[in-house]
């Protein structure tokens, strides 16, 4: 290779490496972006005696995994280049877990990393489509911790005066702190900023390909977790007089980081990082084409 192009690559690598330090500031503690799974049936390999893969998969109906979760490139936020695919989580008329009256399809991080200590950011993007939109007549608890100190909600909230509710909400201890009209086909990008030491939680938010912005500053919350009680997915409360309809929610860009927040929807390890890695490899191995 002519030395001029070698040094061009070398300076490009230097330039890209310098900028990557500012782009990728956080440390990924746990990566739930589905990139390591070839299909949702991989989730079936997990059990309490064989804790493999990024997720615990046990909260679901009695059907096969493909009835409740499927993976596809069509199921991710297209602006998120770090995710190869996203997940479709389904509630159908069998999605009852162990005889409960609630429909539930949920995934829980499988990790021993310190995702429940200090300050951490829980990232995910979510979307619903018009044809299989979550019922506005029933309460949906989305991406919640067991103690519900932070969660998203959609649909009619139990006890509410109105009959239906079209909002997407962010709740702390079951009190709404932020809401927007829940629209079909819109990717909502979300990060919970949790300081487990201080007992606070804040809300970062954007839509589509826009960078996350701190929308609610950290506020007091009973933030606690055993490290395996954050539920990616949906729990729907029953309500008399309203029959089950099939509902889908789509999730992508799921990861937890510490240090500082990554605001780009592409997240850490995005296309930019792949380009840097490839440029560096080519510069160090000029004989490989
Ligand atoms: C998941 O994918 C399988 C195989 O393509 C398909 O048979 C099944 O209907 C899909 N499930 C849902 C809920 O869309
Ligand atoms: C959502 O609906 C649109 C319009 O019907 C369709 O083109 C798209 O494939 C759907 N997306 C998913 C993830 O099902
Ligand atoms: C989290 O809270 C602790 C205790 O109040 C504080 O010392 C620490 O600086 C906070 N972390 C961040 C990143 O703000």
């Amino acid at each position: 290779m002519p030395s001029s192009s070698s040094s061009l690559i070398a300076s490009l690598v230097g330039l890209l490496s310098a900028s990557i330090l500012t782009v990728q500031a956080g440390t990924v503690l746990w990566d739930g972006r589905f990139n390591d799974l070839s299909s949702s049936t991989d989730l079936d390999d997990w059990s309490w005696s064989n804790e493999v893969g990024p997720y615990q998969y046990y909260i679901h109906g009695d059907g096969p995994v493909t009835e409740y979760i499927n993976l596809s490139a069509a199921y991710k936020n297209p602006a998120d280049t770090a995710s190869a695919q996203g997940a479709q989580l389904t509630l159908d008329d069998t999605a009852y877990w162990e005889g409960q009256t609630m429909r539930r399809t949920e995934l829980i991080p499988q990790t021993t990393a310190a995702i429940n200590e200090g300050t951490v950011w829980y990232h995910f993007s979510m979307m619903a489509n018009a044809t299989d939109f979550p019922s506005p007549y029933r309460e949906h608890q989305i991406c919640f911790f067991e103690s519900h100190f932070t969660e998203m909600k959609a649909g009619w909230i139990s006890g509410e005066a109105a009959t239906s509710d079209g909002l997407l909400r962010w709740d702390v201890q079951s009190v709404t702190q932020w809401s927007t009209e829940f629209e079909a086909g819109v990717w909502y990008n979300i990060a919970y900023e949790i300081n487990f030491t201080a007992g606070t939680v804040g809300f970062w938010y954007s839509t589509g390909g826009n960078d996350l912005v701190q929308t609610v500053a950290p506020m007091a919350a009973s933030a606690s977790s055993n490290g395996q009680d954050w539920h990616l997915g949906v729990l729907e409360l029953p309500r008399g007089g309203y029959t089950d309809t099939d509902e889908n929610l789509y999730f992508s860009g799921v990861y937890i980081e510490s240090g500082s927040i990554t605001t780009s929807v592409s997240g850490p390890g995005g296309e930019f990082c792949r380009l840097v890695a490839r440029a560096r490899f080519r510069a160090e191995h000029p004989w490989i084409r």
Side-chain angles (χ1 to χ4, degrees):
M1 179 181 289
S3 63
S4 62
S5 64
S6 296
S7 60
L8 176 67
I9 287 172
S11 47
L12 264 177
V13 167
L15 197 71
L16 289 169
S17 305
S19 357
I20 201 167
L21 293 175
T22 55
V23 169
Q24 191 183 346
T27 302
V28 176
L29 295 174
W30 169 81
D31 194 338
R33 285 180 286 192
F34 306 107
N35 291 342
D36 305 335
L37 303 177
S38 49
S39 88
S40 63
T41 56
D42 288 352
L43 295 165
D44 264 342
D45 296 341
W46 181 91
S47 71
W48 290 113
S49 53
N50 184 39
E51 299 184 327
V52 294
Y55 285 107
Q56 298 179 354
Y57 175 63
Y58 66 97
I59 302 174
H60 53 78
D62 289 336
V65 61
T66 51
E67 192 175 332
Y68 309 115
I69 303 178
N70 271 339
L71 307 178
S72 164
Y75 301 161
K76 69 163 189 147
N77 182 343
D80 173 7
T81 51
S83 293
Q85 53 190 353
Q88 173 190 257
L89 270 62
T90 301
L91 296 179
D92 66 6
D93 58 5
T94 72
Y96 294 91
W97 177 46
E98 296 192 338
Q100 292 185 348
T101 56
M102 304 164 272
R103 296 199 292 172
R104 307 179 67 167
T105 301
E106 299 158 26
L107 289 167
I108 290 176
Q110 173 62 58
T111 179
T112 53
I115 61 172
N116 57 343
E117 290 171 21
T119 297
V120 284
W121 288 267
Y122 279 61
H123 289 261
F124 59 94
S125 296
M126 57 176 284
M127 193 273 280
N129 234 353
T131 46
D132 42 23
F133 203 79
S135 167
Y137 301 107
R138 293 180 178 186
E139 177 170 333
H140 297 77
Q141 303 172 349
I142 302 162
C143 298
F144 57 93
F145 283 84
E146 206 66 48
S147 72
H148 295 270
F149 75 85
T150 178
E151 67 192 310
M152 304 303 294
K153 279 191 181 176
W156 177 81
I157 305 298
S158 298
E160 208 180 334
T163 310
S164 70
D165 189 324
L167 296 181
L168 176 66
R169 301 155 178 267
W170 177 58
D171 276 21
V172 172
Q173 321 276 163
S174 303
V175 178
T176 300
Q177 308 298 329
W178 170 94
S179 66
T180 189
E181 206 59 43
F182 192 11
E183 287 179 43
V186 173
W187 277 98
Y188 297 96
N189 310 304
I190 289 153
Y192 302 148
E193 176 176 343
I194 307 169
N195 186 334
F196 284 102
T197 314
T200 57
V201 57
F203 185 67
W204 292 72
Y205 166 78
S206 75
T207 55
N210 298 315
D211 283 357
L212 292 168
V213 172
Q214 193 183 63
T215 305
V216 182
M219 54 183 287
S222 302
S224 78
S225 167
N226 65 2
Q228 39 189 344
D229 70 343
W230 181 60
H231 300 236
L232 173 82
V234 56
L235 178 162
E236 184 201 58
L237 296 182
R239 187 180 180 196
Y242 297 88
T243 50
D244 292 351
T245 55
D246 290 357
E247 301 178 0
N248 288 323
L249 278 175
Y250 300 90
F251 294 97
S252 64
V254 187
Y255 64 97
I256 303 170
E257 68 180 337
S258 65
S260 61
I261 186 168
T262 300
T263 55
S264 164
V265 168
S266 259
E271 187 58 28
F272 185 62
C273 303
R274 268 202 288 279
L275 285 174
V276 172
R278 196 171 67 186
R280 187 177 282 151
F281 180 85
R282 291 226 169 126
E284 287 165 0
H285 307 82
W287 56 92
I288 299 175
R289 294 307 303 162

